[in-house]
Amino acid sequence: MATAAPYRIVVAGGGTAGWMAAAALIRFLGPGFTVTVIESEAIGTVGVGEATIPQIRMFNASLGIDEDAFVAATQASYKLAIEFVGWTKGGRYMHAFGDVGRDNGLLAFRHTWLRGLTEGVAEPLAAYSLNNVAALANRMQRGPARTARVLPEMPYAFHFDAGLYARFLRDYAEARGVVRHEGRIEAVARNGEHGELVALHLDGDRRIEGDLFLDCTGFHARLIGAAMGVGYQDWTYWLPCDRALAVPSARARDFTPYTRATAHDAGWQWRIPLQHRTGNGIVYSSRHLSDDEAAARLLAGLDEPALADPRPLRFLAGRREVCWAGNVIALGLSSGFLEPLESTSIHLIQSAVERVLKLLPGRRALAPLRDSYNRQAALEMERIRDFLILHYCANDRDEPFWRERRESPLPNGLAEKIALWRASGEIVREEGDLFSDVAWLQVLAGQGIAAEGHHPLADQPPVAQIAEYLDLLAKLNAREVAQMSPHSDFVRAHGAPDAEIAA
C-alpha cells in the first residue's frame, strides 16, 4: 500500500516570527508533515519586540516550555503593565494587565467607580488594579493571591531579548525535526496554471519545494508582496510615525516590572528593562523630527550609558490587503506593521500561528478557509490600530504633531466607542478586539476622556456603601502587594539566580 507523501510546510525567514511558527507547527502537527526553515545569518532581523502581553505565556506553555528555563535563556524580566508618561500635560498612568476592581452582578466595576467619582469618594483608577499597585511598588509574585481570596491572580507577561528567544525556539524546533537551510532566497518558482508557489531557489543552486509557504521575510515580504503581488493598506493617515531608532543601554538600576512609553513632541520613547541590558527606542514622525534630532533625544533620555549606536528602522503603519494568498501566508512584519506602543508585535505573530493551525488547508487550499483567515486577521489589526489611535487622539499637548493627532478624523468604530463612553460610561468589546473593556477603560480614563454618565444601577446603593466598598478594594490590593517580593529578587529566584540586578 502506497504511503502518501508528507505535506511540506516551508517557512521563509527565521527571526522571532519564523521560529515561533516552526516550533508550534512541529509541536502540534503529526508525522504526515515536514517543516523547513530557510534563514540567512547575513540578513538582520528587526528585533525590537522585547515587550509582550500575557498571551505569550499560553504560547510557551503549549510548547511545554518551562517558564524558569525560558526566563534564564532569554534574559527576561517580568511585566505587569505599561506606563504612559507625558501623553497628557504632565500626566502619567498605567495600562495594567488583569482586572480593575470587582463587578457587582450585572454592574461592571467602572460604573461603581464613576459613581464614586461624582460623589467624591473614589480614588484614581490605579488603586483598584492589583497589577498597577504591584508595578508601581516594583513587586512581583506568581499564583493565587495570598492575603484575600477575593483578589484575582495577577496576570503577567515578559520583557525579553527577541534574538535570544528566536535562538531558544530554534533549538526547540530543530530538536523535534525542523530542518533549517542557511541561505538567501534568490528566486521563486510558481505554477504556471494557478500561480501558487512551487519552490524557493536559494544561493548555491538549491531548490526547496513545498505545499504551503509561510512568509516570515519581514518588511521585504518576498513571498506575499514581491511574488504574489498582494498590496498594502497605508494607515499613516491615522498613525503617522514612520521611523524608529533602537539602542541598548546598560542594565537598569530602576529594574521595573513594567514597560515605559514616554511621549515627546513628535512621537514617543520606549524603555524595557532586561536582566543584562535595557532596551530603548524612539518612535517618531519624520515630518516633525529629523533623524539627528531623534537620535540626540533618544540618547539624552537613557537611564544608563548606551552600549551601541542607535539602529534605524523605517516603516509604514498598515497591513497587507490579505495575509493569505494562494498557498502563501504572511506572518509577522510581512503581514503589516503597528508600532509597539501596546507590545502587540509578538502577539500578532502568535495569533497568526494559531490561526494557521486552526485553518490549515491540507492539499486543497479551500477558499472559505482563506476568506475566514483574512477576515480574522484584518479585524484583529484594525481593532489594535484603533486602540493605538486612542492614545494619540486624546491628548492636550501643544506641539504641531499632537495638535494634528487631536484634530484628525477618527475611524468610525473608534469614534463610536469614544462617544458611547463619554455619554454613559459604557464600553462594548467588538468582534476581533484583542483588548478587553478593562484595557479600554484604563486608556480612556488615563488619557483624560471623562464619562458624563454611568449605569443607573450604580445610583442605588447609599454613598457610604459605595465609599466603604471602594476603600476596601484599595486596601486589599495594598495589603497583597506589601507581602510580595521585590521584582529583582523574584527574577533571581525564578530562572536567573546569577543575575546581577540592582535591588
Side-chain angles (χ1 to χ4, degrees):
M1 180 177 177
T3 302
Y7 185 81
R8 302 161 300 178
I9 301 176
V10 177
V11 181
T16 308
W19 288 110
M20 285 183 74
L25 291 169
I26 203 66
R27 166 68 177 83
F28 291 108
L29 298 182
F33 297 82
T34 64
V35 180
T36 302
V37 175
I38 299 169
E39 182 180 37
S40 173
E41 296 287 358
I43 300 175
T45 58
V46 173
V48 299
E50 296 174 323
T52 56
I53 60 177
Q55 285 86 336
I56 189 67
R57 294 175 56 209
M58 292 185 287
F59 181 82
N60 286 346
S62 73
L63 299 183
I65 292 172
D66 177 78
E67 186 167 287
D68 288 357
F70 157 80
V71 169
T74 62
Q75 295 287 304
S77 66
Y78 293 86
K79 176 182 173 182
L80 299 175
I82 304 171
E83 182 184 38
F84 293 94
V85 180
W87 290 75
T88 56
K89 288 180 181 176
R92 61 175 63 209
Y93 70 93
M94 282 193 173
H95 169 196
F97 303 136
D99 294 336
V100 175
R102 285 178 61 85
D103 295 348
N104 185 7
L106 295 175
L107 188 66
F109 172 77
R110 61 180 174 272
H111 294 292
T112 302
W113 177 68
L114 290 169
R115 163 87 190 284
L117 287 179
T118 64
E119 301 288 358
V121 298
E123 295 187 42
L125 193 62
Y128 309 109
S129 163
L130 181 60
N131 273 55
N132 199 323
V133 177
L136 288 174
N138 279 4
R139 300 272 177 160
M140 177 63 198
Q141 74 181 17
R142 294 192 298 214
R146 298 170 186 175
T147 64
R149 292 182 180 179
V150 298
L151 289 177
E153 181 174 327
M154 283 201 315
Y156 59 90
F158 304 98
H159 307 120
F160 58 72
D161 185 313
L164 293 179
Y165 186 50
R167 191 180 309 166
F168 182 78
L169 292 179
R170 173 182 167 181
D171 291 343
Y172 175 100
E174 288 186 310
R176 288 159 176 78
V178 170
V179 175
R180 177 185 179 274
H181 292 276
E182 166 68 29
R184 291 178 176 268
I185 299 171
E186 294 191 337
V188 172
R190 299 179 65 182
N191 184 297
E193 179 181 353
H194 47 68
E196 292 192 346
L197 266 59
V198 175
L200 304 180
H201 292 277
L202 312 186
D203 50 9
D205 198 27
R206 292 172 292 164
R207 175 184 169 97
I208 308 298
E209 297 183 348
D211 300 298
L212 180 69
F213 294 82
L214 304 185
D215 187 347
C216 300
T217 61
F219 288 130
H220 298 292
R222 289 290 307 275
L223 307 188
I224 196 74
M228 303 301 290
V230 175
Y232 194 86
Q233 286 190 7
D234 181 349
W235 289 347
T236 53
Y237 173 78
W238 291 301
L239 295 169
C241 289
D242 58 352
R243 295 190 185 180
L245 295 168
V247 66
S249 63
R251 185 179 57 247
R253 284 170 288 183
D254 185 18
F255 191 60
T256 59
Y258 56 88
T259 308
R260 180 175 295 139
T262 303
H264 60 78
D265 58 10
W268 61 282
Q269 183 167 328
W270 76 75
R271 177 188 181 276
I272 302 172
L274 310 180
Q275 293 176 36
H276 61 316
R277 60 176 172 81
T278 301
N280 309 275
I282 188 168
V283 177
Y284 59 102
S285 163
S286 61
R287 289 195 300 110
H288 300 83
L289 193 69
S290 72
D291 296 342
D292 290 342
E293 290 171 325
R297 181 162 298 166
L298 170 62
L299 295 174
L302 300 182
D303 294 341
E304 306 293 341
L307 300 177
D309 293 328
R311 183 162 56 92
L313 172 67
R314 297 189 178 191
F315 56 84
L316 189 69
R319 67 167 177 85
R320 290 286 154 192
E321 294 287 352
V322 294
C323 292
W324 180 352
N327 61 341
V328 173
I329 303 177
L331 305 182
L333 297 176
S334 63
S335 67
F337 182 82
L338 291 168
E339 60 193 73
L341 183 59
E342 283 283 353
S343 308
T344 53
S345 299
I346 288 176
H347 175 74
L348 283 169
I349 299 169
Q350 177 182 338
S351 63
V353 171
E354 180 182 355
R355 205 174 292 124
V356 169
L357 286 167
K358 287 182 177 179
L359 300 176
L360 194 68
R363 299 189 185 280
R364 296 175 60 221
L366 302 178
L369 293 175
R370 282 197 300 265
D371 292 345
S372 179
Y373 185 101
N374 287 325
R375 187 185 69 83
Q376 292 177 47
L379 268 178
E380 181 178 45
M381 286 203 72
E382 287 166 7
R383 303 294 190 222
I384 295 174
R385 175 201 67 192
D386 289 358
F387 195 62
L388 301 188
I389 295 170
L390 174 62
H391 298 68
Y392 282 106
C393 71
N395 77 85
D396 57 5
R397 296 179 62 110
D398 295 327
E399 300 91 344
F401 172 85
W402 292 97
R403 287 198 298 271
E404 288 178 17
R405 296 302 89 230
R406 190 163 58 243
E407 296 166 1
S408 296
L410 302 176
N412 290 337
L414 176 58
E416 292 169 2
K417 189 177 285 282
I418 292 174
L420 182 64
W421 161 257
R422 283 190 191 277
S424 65
E426 191 52 75
I427 300 170
V428 176
R429 191 175 189 181
E430 307 289 348
E431 180 189 2
D433 199 339
L434 167 64
F435 296 103
S436 68
D437 56 351
V438 171
W440 281 92
L441 167 65
Q442 292 177 87
V443 177
L444 285 162
Q447 292 289 148
I449 302 178
E452 298 169 1
H454 52 259
H455 198 285
L457 284 177
D459 290 323
Q460 293 185 358
V463 174
Q465 184 176 332
I466 294 289
E468 182 181 11
Y469 179 67
L470 293 174
D471 182 61
L472 175 62
L473 290 176
K475 286 179 177 176
L476 289 175
N477 283 337
R479 186 178 67 179
E480 180 71 11
V481 169
Q483 57 79 43
M484 293 181 185
S485 300
H487 178 225
S488 53
D489 291 350
F490 193 86
V491 172
R492 289 192 194 97
H494 295 279
D498 300 322
E500 297 179 7
I501 302 165

